């Protein structure tokens, strides 16, 4: 009798295990960061200097595709079933280069690897993009350090830190929309930073 009970119990446990194993997992979703030409306004007069945009570097712990959030200061976590389609710095860099190239502030904007001689160099480092749930209301925050230099004279022209916060509901889908708005605002403020830092009389003759 005891042996039959044990067998029946084992069958019951196995059946429950099978039901649990068949429970569907949440669908994995990947999000993009996209910058539209409508997100920034170009100058009417194109200037004559070439800008080199260095390779963007991410803040510590934010090199990959994970979508990070923070509930407590200095403690990063990531969503289990939501991520970026590519690392944020790798998505943002080419779009920033295009936006700066179309801004009218420079004759051209080249990449870090380009052999073209540049008059100015822009370094964007410690780029951080995360959903801060310890704010009220919660917000997706994009921050980065900026340095504009003259590579010929070896002089620092301007430096600063941009911090953009876009309010959002505390979930990945709404957060991704807020992150894209933050990238658009970051681009506009970066263009303003560069416009203010470069010489006003740098128009092409």
């Amino acid at each position: 009798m005891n042996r039959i009970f044990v067998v029946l119990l084992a069958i019951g446990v196995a059946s429950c295990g099978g039901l649990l194993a068949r429970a569907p997992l949440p669908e994995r979703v990947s999000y993009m960061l996209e910058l539209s030409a409508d997100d920034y306004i170009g100058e009417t007069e194109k200037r004559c200097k070439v800008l080199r945009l260095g390779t963007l570097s991410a803040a510590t712990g934010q090199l990959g595709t994970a979508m990070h959030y923070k509930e407590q200061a200095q403690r990063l976590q990531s969503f289990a079933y939501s991520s970026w389609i590519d690392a944020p710095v790798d998505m943002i860099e080419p779009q920033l280069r295009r936006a700066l190239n179309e801004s009218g502030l420079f004759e051209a904007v080249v990449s870090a690897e380009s052999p073209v001689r540049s008059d100015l160099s822009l370094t964007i480092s410690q780029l951080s993009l995360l959903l801060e749930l310890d704010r009220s209301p919660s917000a997706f925050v994009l921050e980065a350090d900026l340095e504009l230099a003259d590579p010929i004279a070896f002089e620092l022209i301007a430096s600063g830190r941009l911090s953009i916060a876009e309010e959002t509901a505390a979930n990945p889908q709404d957060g991704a929309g807020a992150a894209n708005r933050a990238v658009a605002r970051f681009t506009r403020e970066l263009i303003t930073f560069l416009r203010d830092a470069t010489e006003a009389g740098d128009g092409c003759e």
Side-chain angles (χ1 to χ4, degrees), residues 158-204:
S159 64
R161 182 169 180 81
L162 283 184
S163 181
I164 309 294
E166 283 288 335
E167 294 180 4
T168 179
N171 64 74
Q173 183 175 0
D174 289 329
N180 275 282
R181 295 195 301 273
V183 171
R185 279 185 56 199
F186 180 90
T187 303
R188 291 193 295 270
E189 294 198 20
L190 175 61
I191 290 173
T192 299
F193 168 84
L194 292 170
R195 183 187 298 117
D196 293 343
T198 52
E199 296 180 4
D202 189 33
C204 293

Side-chain angles (χ1 to χ4, degrees), residues 138-160:
S138 56
F140 232 109
V141 180
L142 171 58
E143 296 180 311
D145 293 329
L146 310 177
E147 285 190 355
L148 180 67
D150 182 335
I152 300 171
F154 297 99
E155 291 180 352
L156 178 64
I157 298 172
S159 64

Side-chain angles (χ1 to χ4, degrees), residues 7-25:
V7 171
L8 292 174
L9 179 62
I11 293 172
V13 170
S15 299
C16 290
L19 290 174
L20 291 174
R22 288 194 295 271
L25 293 174

Side-chain angles (χ1 to χ4, degrees), residues 31 67-71 78-80 82 130-141 166-179 181:
Y31 298 94
M67 182 181 286
H68 294 288
Y69 66 92
K70 182 180 69 171
E71 291 182 306
S78 58
F79 291 103
S82 297
L130 72 152
L131 176 57
E132 295 192 359
L133 301 178
D134 52 354
R135 288 175 174 248
S136 182
S138 56
F140 232 109
V141 180
E166 283 288 335
E167 294 180 4
T168 179
N171 64 74
Q173 183 175 0
D174 289 329
R181 295 195 301 273

